[in-house]
Amino acid sequence: MTPAVKQLERAGVAFTLAEYAHDPRTPAYGEEAARALGLSPDEVFKTLLVKLDDGRLAVAIVPVAGQLDLKALARAAGARRAAMAEPEAAQRATGYVVGGISPLGQKRRLATFLDESAAALPAIHVSGGRRGLEIRLAPADLMRLTGARLAPLARD
């Protein structure tokens, strides 16, 4: 199993796994997961890595129905600016491949921010640590295990 699943098992957190056949030609991994699993794009969240203007990496978890507002993330992280991290840097920091980056079980614990829309949901889906694997869990459990803070991060 993936490091994300192992972390959940060690913590004794309630979760379920959902698998689907990933199409390597699909560029939008989160949207593919929602479509393949018959889920609302508001309850499937993508994990994005950003580089802050001071050089730190941070994790943003936003619904696939929206886009990450980089200015909002920078504010939440106490930075002036943020930009998407290079894929190689994201893979090195997390231990996961792009399209399968989970907010759980990462190699290094990074500052993590969860879009505030998650607080209104009983459960959300995040990557399980590989393309084609999703984890369903309570937002509060995700926040506790990652140290995530809620912030208004997504825009339409």
Side-chain angles (χ1 to χ4, degrees):
M1 247 327 100
T2 67
V5 174
K6 289 177 183 173
Q7 181 183 8
L8 291 168
E9 288 174 341
R10 278 193 309 272
V13 169
F15 69 97
T16 57
L17 295 177
E19 293 188 72
Y20 61 94
H22 165 64
D23 179 354
R25 296 169 301 184
T26 302
Y29 302 108
E31 291 169 5
E32 177 192 31
R35 192 172 45 256
L37 298 172
L39 300 169
S40 164
D42 293 322
E43 63 184 302
V44 178
F45 283 64
K46 54 190 169 186
T47 305
L48 304 171
L49 263 77
V50 298
K51 186 172 184 179
L52 303 173
D53 58 0
D54 63 6
R56 291 179 295 147
L57 291 178
V59 176
I61 309 166
V62 296
V64 300
Q67 289 187 313
L68 173 61
D69 181 335
L70 289 167
K71 288 181 182 179
L73 176 67
R75 274 191 304 277
R80 288 187 306 270
R81 285 184 301 283
M84 295 304 298
E86 292 295 323
E88 298 80 21
Q91 291 178 167
R92 255 192 326 277
T94 65
Y96 295 118
V97 297
V98 170
I101 295 178
S102 178
L104 298 157
Q106 295 183 357
K107 284 169 76 174
R108 291 192 346 224
R109 186 153 184 170
L110 301 171
T112 302
F113 302 88
L114 176 61
D115 184 66
E116 64 186 4
S117 66
L121 300 170
I124 61 173
H125 292 80
V126 296
S127 175
R130 66 175 166 79
R131 296 172 186 157
L133 181 66
E134 290 289 307
I135 295 171
R136 181 182 190 273
L137 76 165
D141 288 331
L142 178 64
M143 291 176 64
R144 183 172 52 81
L145 292 173
T146 61
R149 291 183 288 169
L150 285 178
L153 303 177
R155 58 183 162 88
D156 295 330

